[in-house]
Amino acid sequence: MALHHHSENPWRVRVDDEGGTPCGAGVLLDDRHVLTCAHVVRYAGAQPEGTAARVRIRSVACGPEWTRAARVVPGSWVHEHGTRRGDVALLALEEPVDCGTRTTLWKVPISGGRVRVYGFPQAEPYGIGTDAELAGSGWRQSERVLLRQIRTGDPWIQPGYSGAGVVALDGEFEGRVIGIVVADYADGDARAAWMLPTETLLTHLPSIREFTGGHRADELGPSGGELPQDVLGDPLRLALTQELTRLLDGGWSGTVVVGTDASVGAGSSWLVRLVRTADPAARAAVSDAELTGAPGDTVLGLGSIDAAYDACGKSVAEVRGYLLGRFGLRAENDREAVRQLVRRRPPACLVVGRVDRAADPAALVRDLLGPLAVRARSRGLRLVLGFEDRPPADLAHDVSLDPAPIVGSAFRRVTSAQVQTVVGQLAAEEEAAARLRTRWGEKFFATPRLPHSAAPRLRVRLAVARTTEPNPELAAVHDRALEARAEVAGFDRALRRLVQSHEDLSTSLELHRVRAARFFGDEDRRLAELHAPAARALQTVPIDLAAARTLVRRYTDEVNRRIDEG
């Protein structure tokens, strides 16, 4: 009897029709079960009430090779033909294989990263692999993740790859199966394909739960994929949803503090709903009509939130354990957990709700969430922290979506159009200030602090106040916008002064270097010893302009003295 052995990824199998013609790929879960696409089974004619009784499963990573007949497990063929929904089937082998393989399908963040798939196109019946990158959904209603070709000219996904296991190539889940290929896609010269992630597969086929591992993307609200229905018809909840969507779906990074205080009409249902629009498991249970019919800026891209967790009643260790487990990280303490989370690539998007209802809110903020908030903007992290009451005054954040009304000191008539104009101006100025901070803010010692972005909250309150115009809150929003514009203008002036001072010092240093070279040559040792530290001071980040100014003046004074002395 031949000794059984495996090559890499022994779970790789080919799915053939009864005559042996390749139809697609599959994942061997254990000695009796194979996961594949429903349309692959349909190609073989073996779908429920199809023309064939069974498919053939052929090993491609085992020696000696084996083949087995297989049938669809009753109730495990999910396919909505002509849609981007479902398309998964569980097969049972008529005879078990003595392979010893047991495959885990991992629930992982799908916002980015490289993957590898191995399929069976017509020209390669024994299979060929190709690499791709995760690229979001690309469709508002889709439950599928887009796979984009990495290198032009490489083999690419085509018919024969459907059902193939998708394997992570980098990060903490390297080498693990995270989903299956469901289709190829062509748009002119664009080369792309689709996959179903594990959490979506699990929603369609709960019977495969024993073959899954990892933490769910959404642990924010009660389990169940339905979207809360008390959100989009309420002006306040709708506005909060739209503002957070704009932040998380764009290139923004930083910490946003959100209010979920039911006493002012906000509650947490709007945040739960928004997170679920990005959740792979929930997407599989929500209809296309519900997603496409929602107002603009109320649906996030699939997988755009990597982890969401309800901190109510939880210890710091429990919150830390979820975040580490979700990203496949290991850390012995909070400090190491923060270090690993901020260094992860691509940068994560995290939502932690009801922070102030944790078992020890002060410790949770002090030891874990506060340090994350401090580093979020500079490391590209998007961090959303929900509070039912007011957050700690010293919690670092970039945006506050406080749902409470803005109270002014006096009433005067201001129209919503006037308020919209000044808030729009503020938003543009805040974006410009953020760009300036990104370009120069990390370069100088003692850089002025970028003011918190006020426009998102002001837009929320404007949306509410304009529903009952005339409303005294409109004047309060208008005044707060003017105050915020003044703060942004002050930041802009202060940072530009630093930039100008740096440019002036650099110009002076270079002009005096050229003068010195003309009078004394490039090899003057004394001047070189003075020039080197001055140049370093202007180039070493963070730049201490006061120290640099002293060193530059020391050099320029020596050059001028030597020239004057002849």
Side-chain angles (χ1 to χ4, degrees), residues 108-113 134-136 302-306 327 344 346-349 382:
V108 305
I110 54 172
S111 55
L134 301 175
L302 178 64
S304 57
I305 293 179
D306 296 306
F327 293 102
R344 181 187 179 272
C349 179
R382 291 171 294 161

Side-chain angles (χ1 to χ4, degrees), residues 374-443:
V374 168
R375 304 182 194 180
R377 174 183 282 273
S378 64
R379 302 309 293 262
L381 191 75
R382 291 171 294 161
L383 179 62
V384 181
L385 301 178
F387 291 83
E388 291 192 352
D389 296 325
R390 289 198 173 275
D394 59 349
L395 175 63
H397 64 278
D398 303 282
V399 178
S400 172
L401 290 180
D402 182 353
I406 298 174
V407 180
S409 58
F411 175 78
R412 69 180 190 283
R413 182 67 180 268
V414 178
T415 67
S416 60
Q418 291 173 309
V419 179
Q420 184 169 347
T421 297
V422 72
V423 171
Q425 293 168 337
L426 170 63
E429 290 160 359
E430 287 180 339
E431 290 176 6
R435 289 192 298 269
L436 185 68
R437 173 70 167 76
T438 298
R439 182 177 180 185
W440 292 104
E442 301 297 328
K443 294 188 177 182

Side-chain angles (χ1 to χ4, degrees), residues 275-292:
V275 167
R276 286 187 177 171
T277 65
D279 175 26
R283 277 285 187 101
V286 178
S287 70
D288 287 347
E290 189 170 359
L291 294 172
T292 58

